Amino acid sequence: MLRSGAWLVGSNLGSQVLRLASNLVLTRLLLPQDFGLMAAVNTLYFALVMFSDLGVWQSVVKSPHGEDARFLGTAWSMQMARAGLLALGVLGMVLGLLLGQGAGVFAPDTVYADSRLPWMMSVFALCALLQGGESMRLATAQRQLHGRVMARLELSSQLAALFVTLGLAWWTQTVWALLAGTLIGSAMRTLLSHLVVPGAPVRPCWDRSHVRELLGFGKWVLLSSVVGFLAAHGEKLILGATLGLATFGVFAIAGNLLAAAMGVYSTINGRVIFPSLSQALRDGDETGLVRVYTRVQQIADGFLGLLTGMLLMAGQWVVWLLYDARYHEAGWMLQWLSLGLLAMRHQVVEQLMFARGMPAWVTTNNILRAVLLATAVPAGYTLAGERGAIAGVVLSQFASWPLSLYFKYRQGLLHWGTERWWLPALLVGMAGGSIVHLLLSAWHA
């Protein structure tokens, strides 16, 4: 687990550095409105992805049949069928946007009213087909904790996307450069999954018993993914219809910076912690399971607490030092949104829920977050404008804490060893952030 984690952490740090560097260049070449448009495209496409998620990879990772040729072939067939349906869903959404714009449904100056949005969205139908063709070797590499292989593939596909995006942005200075880079990155990832990831060839097939197993687990993953998307990204759907296009683009910059901070944790959580917990369960090692969970929860709490405290007190300097004045409003947004990082500490126990085959608990957690998000963001915007809306976003991320704590209590995992680190780490992070803020303020003065 540590070896795989080291590769993935290194890869993710490299990925975040590349993404940040390209973002800094692109903000000099493009307008805030362009980032707002791309954020809307990504959000709408991701909504369709999550609304059709059958948890194929998670099934391969956790299933005792996860390395059988017919199981993998069936999983790949389901993945490709889903990709075709997803592409049709993208085109259906394009038609809906065109009809809505023609009927004047969307408020002027919002991202949904922009005439470029439907045509940009249509390109993602091809992305869906490309992702459906990814080799099942990627899932088995995740199952076997082959972090080095996954790291190399991720960085290679990102570099290809980066070169294309920067080159086209310099040449055209239009938002289409961002879209072209995304398409090239998807194509490169699919190609490399067949060429460089080790493993036996997998042929598409259809085995009814394996289909039943995949759908039995996947129906809960699907429901959890739908409400999980609404809980984690629903604010973009809401704010995209209320904020002006430029302001929404500034919000997207703050969101991108927060995503960079979350990247390492999310990668480790999904690609190391979940397979490790699943392996302990397959081995029937309950003591080992408790030991792995306790250790990774402590590490997650330390990391998230420190990061949250630092960004809460000094996050605005990240924006002020890196971006020009057009994007400075993203500074306070980043500070406030960083509190949501602390809420992510219970994603560790949600991986345990998945590993134990209890995804209904994760679904319920996501429902709690989605319901509070759907009510708190509009209410906050009505009461206090942009700041009230973002306060609602942050508050909603903590809605699942009571249920997660109850689950840990039932599993015998709620004890001092798993709960003692996050608050001290937060306070230490806030102290460090305050020192950074004072030093930079004195230097800037």
Side-chain angles (χ1 to χ4, degrees):
M1 184 177 72
L2 290 174
R3 283 195 299 269
S4 179
W7 273 103
L8 289 171
V9 166
S11 167
N12 203 276
L13 287 174
S15 175
Q16 299 303 338
V17 169
L18 289 174
R19 186 173 289 114
L20 177 60
S22 66
N23 194 260
L24 292 176
V25 174
L26 290 169
T27 54
R28 270 71 177 175
L29 296 173
L30 304 176
L31 300 173
Q33 292 89 326
D34 296 331
F35 290 95
L37 271 171
M38 197 61 194
V41 172
N42 282 322
T43 301
L44 293 172
Y45 176 67
F46 191 47
L48 291 175
V49 169
M50 299 300 284
F51 286 9
S52 62
D53 184 13
L54 293 176
V56 171
W57 276 31
Q58 293 97 318
S59 295
V60 171
V61 170
K62 74 176 290 293
S63 173
H65 307 108
E67 297 184 29
D68 296 348
R70 286 191 64 79
F71 184 87
L72 291 172
T74 302
W76 196 20
S77 296
M78 291 181 65
Q79 176 179 285
M80 290 189 287
R82 169 184 173 257
L85 293 174
L86 183 57
L88 291 176
V90 170
L91 297 178
M93 184 174 287
V94 169
L95 179 61
L97 286 169
L98 289 171
L99 293 175
Q101 289 178 353
V105 171
F106 308 117
D109 194 41
T110 62
V111 66
Y112 299 136
D114 195 292
S115 61
R116 293 170 292 177
L117 182 62
W119 307 113
M120 292 175 62
M121 191 70 200
S122 64
V123 177
F124 272 69
L126 183 55
C127 287
L129 296 176
L130 288 170
Q131 291 170 357
E134 289 179 358
S135 172
M136 279 292 108
R137 294 176 185 174
L138 286 175
T140 56
Q142 181 175 331
R143 172 188 173 95
Q144 297 163 0
L145 295 177
H146 290 167
R148 179 174 63 178
V149 174
M150 300 292 288
R152 289 177 173 176
L153 182 141
E154 296 286 356
L155 282 176
S156 298
S157 57
Q158 185 182 358
L159 280 171
L162 175 63
F163 288 135
V164 170
T165 301
L166 292 178
L168 287 177
W170 175 79
W171 184 36
T172 66
Q173 296 189 9
T174 67
V175 69
W176 292 96
L178 301 175
L179 203 64
T182 300
L183 187 61
I184 292 299
S186 296
M188 182 61 69
R189 178 184 167 90
T190 299
L191 180 63
L192 292 178
S193 72
H194 291 277
L195 296 180
V196 304
V197 180
V202 176
R203 295 181 179 179
C205 62
W206 198 259
D207 186 296
R208 291 186 177 180
S209 64
H210 292 325
V211 169
R212 285 194 295 270
E213 178 181 348
L214 287 161
L215 291 178
F217 181 73
K219 64 185 179 183
W220 287 107
V221 174
L222 174 60
L223 181 58
S224 179
S225 295
V226 170
V227 294
F229 167 81
L230 295 175
H233 302 280
E235 79 280 359
K236 297 185 182 71
L237 297 177
I238 299 170
L239 295 177
T242 54
L243 299 180
L245 183 54
T247 303
F248 186 68
V250 172
F251 173 78
I253 292 294
N256 289 339
L257 289 171
L258 190 69
M262 293 164 50
V264 173
Y265 174 70
S266 298
T267 298
I268 295 298
N269 202 35
R271 298 186 180 180
V272 178
I273 293 174
F274 175 63
S276 300
L277 294 172
S278 298
Q279 182 63 52
L281 282 170
R282 288 196 299 269
D283 293 342
D285 183 5
E286 192 67 25
T287 302
L289 175 68
V290 173
R291 184 172 61 250
V292 170
Y293 167 74
T294 301
R295 180 60 57 86
V296 296
Q297 185 68 74
Q298 291 172 345
I299 294 171
D301 287 350
F303 174 75
L304 292 173
L306 288 171
L307 186 58
T308 300
M310 289 288 292
L311 289 175
L312 181 62
M313 304 307 296
Q316 75 273 27
W317 286 100
V318 177
V319 176
W320 294 352
L321 293 174
L322 296 178
Y323 294 91
D324 62 58
R326 293 175 300 168
Y327 300 94
H328 281 185
E329 282 292 298
W332 69 264
M333 295 181 184
L334 177 61
Q335 284 181 282
W336 288 30
L337 290 171
S338 67
L339 283 170
L341 289 171
L342 194 60
M344 295 176 62
R345 66 178 297 264
H346 281 149
Q347 284 190 4
V348 175
V349 79
E350 289 182 357
Q351 297 301 321
L352 179 59
M353 294 171 184
F354 274 128
R356 282 198 179 279
M358 303 167 70
W361 285 79
V362 183
T363 301
T364 306
N365 265 348
N366 286 329
I367 289 174
L368 292 173
R369 287 192 289 260
V371 169
L372 187 54
L373 182 72
T375 54
V377 173
Y381 186 79
T382 300
L383 293 172
E386 298 167 11
R387 293 180 183 269
I390 291 180
V393 172
V394 174
L395 179 64
S396 68
Q397 299 309 303
F398 290 89
S400 62
W401 272 39
L403 187 62
S404 293
L405 290 170
Y406 177 63
F407 176 86
K408 289 197 282 188
Y409 171 75
R410 286 189 47 170
Q411 298 291 317
L413 299 172
L414 186 60
H415 53 78
W416 182 243
T418 61
E419 305 301 315
R420 65 183 177 182
W421 291 109
W422 69 267
L423 184 55
L426 176 64
L427 295 175
V428 171
M430 291 176 67
S434 297
I435 293 172
V436 171
H437 175 66
L438 291 173
L439 291 175
L440 288 175
S441 296
W443 170 76
H444 192 262

